Amino acid sequence: MNTHPRIVIVPGWRNSGPAHWQSLWARQLPGAERVEQDDWLVPHRDAWVGALEELVLADSRPVVLVAHSLGCIAAVHMGEQAASRVRGALLVAPADPERRAQLSDFAPVPYAPLPYRSVLVASSNDPFCPIRRAGAYARAWGSELVRLQNAGHINVESGFGAWPLGLALLQSLLDDASWSAQQSVAARTPPDARQAGLAPLAR
């Protein structure tokens, strides 16, 4: 059974262009999948969250999310069934839909602990989400907060290309997800199979 986690990339409002780190990673990371939306310009919560849930549930393997901006908010709006498939999430520069009319359909933002490990990366001068709001998200969601100084919206306009730090954070989530997936499979393996050496090997 293949227990390696899937990487699901979740772009934000207006999608991520070809030079955005999400797009670079999508081409670089083997097997990475990207959420596609019917309407990137006028986002509706039900449609966006539905498309994300459909992709997450399309495969039985565990998932690690890589979300940016409004994609972070779509991710935390997912229902219990899809969220249970997630083992980790890198949430970068989350949007603040309560401060921007075009994104208001995503308000109110859920303020409940996420059932998976998450790392929230925020900038001290993000024009789309004050650092205090990002910190409140992190506390509510139980996310590890990584604060970047004067990094804007952590996108192309802010000077971000392939973004090695982000890749390192993603790798830590992938390592954790692989470990938890192996534990989950081992727990479902009958004791006699484990004794016979048929269970997955722990790292």
Side-chain angles (χ1 to χ4, degrees):
M1 179 178 178
N2 185 357
T3 59
H4 292 293
R6 300 160 60 208
I7 300 172
V8 172
I9 294 174
V10 192
W13 184 35
R14 298 178 177 173
N15 204 350
S16 296
H20 193 286
W21 55 267
Q22 280 189 315
S23 300
L24 298 177
W25 292 9
R27 296 192 292 270
Q28 173 185 349
L29 299 171
E33 303 167 73
R34 184 181 182 126
V35 179
E36 294 297 337
Q37 301 292 350
D38 291 333
D39 193 338
W40 289 105
L41 298 181
V42 183
H44 295 284
R45 184 176 71 186
D46 288 348
W48 274 47
V49 175
L52 175 56
E53 290 180 334
E54 183 177 358
L55 181 57
V56 167
L57 293 170
D59 189 307
S60 61
R61 287 175 294 160
V63 168
V64 170
L65 301 175
V66 179
H68 181 253
S69 192
L70 190 62
C72 300
I73 308 305
V76 300
H77 271 297
M78 284 197 307
E80 183 178 350
Q81 183 181 9
S84 69
R85 194 70 55 83
V86 178
R87 293 292 182 272
L90 181 62
L91 306 171
V92 181
D96 182 1
E98 296 175 10
R99 296 167 62 95
R100 198 169 187 92
Q102 298 96 322
L103 312 182
S104 61
D105 195 40
F106 288 75
V109 174
Y111 275 75
L114 298 174
Y116 45 79
R117 183 188 169 199
S118 59
V119 176
L120 191 157
V121 184
S123 167
S124 64
N125 66 338
D126 189 335
F128 300 111
C129 183
I131 189 66
R132 286 186 177 181
R133 177 60 57 89
Y137 287 161
R139 289 190 296 274
W141 300 339
S143 305
E144 303 162 45
L145 179 63
V146 176
R147 174 172 172 161
L148 303 184
Q149 193 68 21
N150 299 324
H153 198 45
I154 314 180
N155 57 4
V156 175
E157 290 75 15
S158 305
F160 284 79
W163 192 30
L165 171 61
L167 275 174
L169 293 172
L170 172 60
Q171 188 59 54
S172 75
L173 288 166
L174 289 170
D175 290 345
D176 277 1
S178 295
W179 173 242
S180 64
Q182 290 175 13
Q183 287 181 315
S184 177
V185 171
R188 294 197 301 269
T189 306
D192 56 344
R194 289 198 289 270
Q195 292 168 5
L198 300 179
L201 295 175
R203 291 190 300 162

